[in-house]
Amino acid sequence: MPKNNLLSEQLNYIGASQTPTHLHLCSYNAEHLDRQDGKEIDDLIPYLRKDAINWIQIHGFQNIEAIQRICQHFNVDFLTMQDILNSKHLTKIEEHETYNVVILKLLFSSEDTYLPQQMAVIQGENFLLTFVERETDFFNDINTALEKNVLKIRNRQSDFLLSVILNSVMTSFMSIISDFEDGLEDLEEGLLSPGQDNVPGIEDIQQYRRNFRLIRKCILPFKEEIINLLHTTDNDLLHKANRPFFDDVNDHLQFVLQTLEGCRDMISALVDLYLSNNDQRMNSIMKQLTVVSTIFIPLTFLAGIWGMNFQWMPELGWKYGYLFAWALMFALVVVIYFYFKRKKWY
């Protein structure tokens, strides 16, 4: 049974990642960009600069004390620490006096399914902390953009970096949902061609339904949270000049949600199509059985008559009776077959 986190003074990591805790610092401004790695915040404190944006990437939650010291250094409260360490926490965006908190889910492909991973972002005036459970290359493009100063990213405030990270999350979901939609179209094509080999089964559709629920669970709560963030007017950490970039994040989110809604309709249509194909296959089997039964009914009738042992049956003493019986049966089969062909019943 889950424990009430308000009744505990201990921090605990709720998750399954075994990634050791390690830190990457990217300190940048318009003129300089410096990088440092470490295992504790003490390793990075000498390199933190007041005249720069200090972005610390924290990977792995095994060292809870290290996580706690990082948060305490930037005056992050205890409840936020608990939320960061809870990999099952719902998506949310919170505004605090000196920082903003964003907790959301990332999805990574794994064979036929997706693996969710929590990411927490703490954005302050001149710092940004990102907490992820495992080692990931998710931030590689952002690091490259910082090195090349794309769109003058190093000249902007920390909230612009936050918008870039959120946009990367939305871009990731857009890629996932695009592949998801393509997979559904391939599945539909397979179901519309029932004569080919490896016709998709209900288990394939069920896998897409499970993935759909997972994607929806990860992205849908972000809808209300981002709206609340966009409507905030008294948040000093979100500058007016960078508001359009958060609007862009919202636009991408709306695209993902609309596409996801279309995927839901497609999945429902695929279930109906699968059931319709099953009915057609059943009808085809029943038609074949009916044809066979119809052919053999008159043959069984004739065999039953000539199988009776009455003494005065004229055909029993006829020299060509056996041959006549075979000829009559064969003729009946041919007549019935061509009759079905002409009526297009078979």
Side-chain angles (χ1 to χ4, degrees):
M1 179 178 178
K3 295 182 179 179
N4 187 340
N5 61 346
L6 296 179
L7 301 179
S8 174
E9 295 181 353
Q10 298 295 323
L11 289 174
N12 295 294
Y13 167 50
I14 302 175
S17 172
Q18 301 298 319
T19 303
T21 303
H22 56 284
L23 287 63
H24 306 286
L25 168 64
C26 177
S27 182
Y28 67 88
N29 56 24
E31 291 77 24
H32 302 286
L33 185 146
D34 300 318
R35 297 186 183 278
Q36 296 293 332
D37 299 329
K39 295 182 178 180
E40 300 276 353
I41 186 62
D42 295 337
D43 300 334
L44 303 181
I45 287 178
Y47 303 100
L48 298 177
R49 299 172 54 181
K50 294 183 179 181
D51 62 340
I53 303 297
N54 300 289
W55 176 24
I56 302 179
Q57 303 172 37
I58 301 95
H59 298 261
F61 295 161
Q62 288 298 305
N63 191 340
I64 297 175
E65 292 183 359
I67 302 292
Q68 185 174 14
R69 285 194 292 271
I70 295 168
C71 292
Q72 288 174 343
H73 180 82
F74 291 97
N75 298 316
V76 177
D77 64 56
F78 184 78
L79 288 179
T80 302
M81 295 183 209
Q82 288 183 323
D83 294 343
I84 292 171
L85 292 170
N86 182 4
S87 64
K88 302 182 184 299
H89 199 282
L90 298 176
T91 298
K92 73 171 185 178
I93 298 177
E94 282 186 350
E95 302 172 29
H96 293 253
E97 186 175 350
T98 59
Y99 58 88
N100 293 320
V101 180
V102 179
I103 295 179
L104 43 74
K105 304 294 181 185
L106 299 174
L107 283 181
F108 297 94
S109 299
S110 176
E111 297 181 356
D112 294 333
T113 187
Y114 298 101
L115 296 177
Q117 180 179 166
Q118 177 165 294
M119 180 174 71
V121 184
I122 310 292
Q123 178 241 336
E125 183 63 36
N126 70 331
F127 70 89
L128 193 134
L129 312 176
T130 53
F131 299 84
V132 290
E133 295 182 84
R134 300 176 178 87
E135 190 65 53
T136 176
D137 59 357
F138 180 77
F139 300 113
N140 286 359
D141 290 342
I142 302 176
N143 283 314
T144 301
L146 284 170
E147 290 176 0
K148 297 180 179 180
N149 201 18
V150 177
L151 295 176
K152 302 296 181 180
I153 185 174
R154 298 210 306 258
N155 300 62
R156 301 177 185 269
Q157 299 95 335
S158 62
D159 57 332
F160 180 75
L161 180 58
L162 173 61
S163 72
V164 170
I165 292 175
L166 295 181
N167 225 329
S168 294
V169 173
M170 291 302 106
T171 301
S172 173
F173 273 101
M174 289 171 66
S175 175
I176 288 172
I177 203 67
S178 177
D179 293 340
F180 188 81
E181 190 176 32
D182 291 343
L184 287 175
E185 290 176 355
D186 292 340
L187 197 62
E188 182 182 39
E189 184 177 348
L191 289 172
L192 290 173
S193 305
Q196 67 178 11
D197 296 335
N198 300 323
V199 176
I202 192 63
E203 64 280 355
D204 299 308
I205 301 177
Q206 283 296 100
Q207 183 63 46
Y208 275 96
R209 291 182 69 177
R210 286 191 291 269
N211 289 339
F212 169 81
R213 287 194 294 267
L214 178 59
I215 296 172
R216 190 171 184 270
K217 182 179 179 181
C218 289
I219 195 66
L220 188 59
F222 194 64
K223 177 182 178 181
E224 296 298 327
E225 299 296 330
I226 192 68
I227 289 176
N228 294 335
L229 181 67
L230 292 175
H231 290 170
T232 299
T233 58
D234 57 351
N235 192 326
D236 296 333
L237 295 175
L238 298 180
H239 301 88
K240 184 177 181 180
N242 293 325
R243 290 277 178 171
F245 300 104
F246 289 95
D247 291 333
D248 190 50
V249 173
N250 187 50
D251 291 341
H252 290 166
L253 173 62
Q254 296 304 321
F255 172 81
V256 171
L257 292 174
Q258 290 173 6
T259 308
L260 195 61
E261 196 69 18
C263 290
R264 184 184 67 173
D265 295 338
M266 188 177 293
I267 290 173
S268 298
L270 289 178
V271 173
D272 294 339
L273 182 58
Y274 173 80
L275 295 176
S276 175
N277 284 348
N278 269 359
D279 291 341
Q280 289 182 358
R281 283 194 292 268
M282 185 61 67
N283 289 339
S284 177
I285 292 172
M286 293 302 297
K287 184 186 293 185
Q288 293 174 5
L289 292 177
T290 302
V291 169
V292 172
S293 300
T294 304
I295 291 174
F296 276 92
I297 284 174
L299 303 185
T300 305
F301 172 74
L302 294 176
I305 291 177
W306 286 318
M308 295 185 292
N309 295 319
F310 293 109
Q311 182 177 0
W312 305 109
M313 287 183 65
E315 294 89 352
L316 293 179
W318 186 27
K319 179 179 179 181
Y320 299 105
Y322 179 72
L323 182 61
F324 173 77
W326 271 107
L328 180 60
M329 292 181 182
F330 180 77
L332 279 173
V333 170
V334 172
V335 169
I336 294 172
Y337 174 78
F338 281 105
Y339 179 77
F340 284 165
K341 275 288 188 180
R342 183 176 181 183
K343 292 291 185 178
K344 296 182 180 180
W345 292 349
Y346 180 70

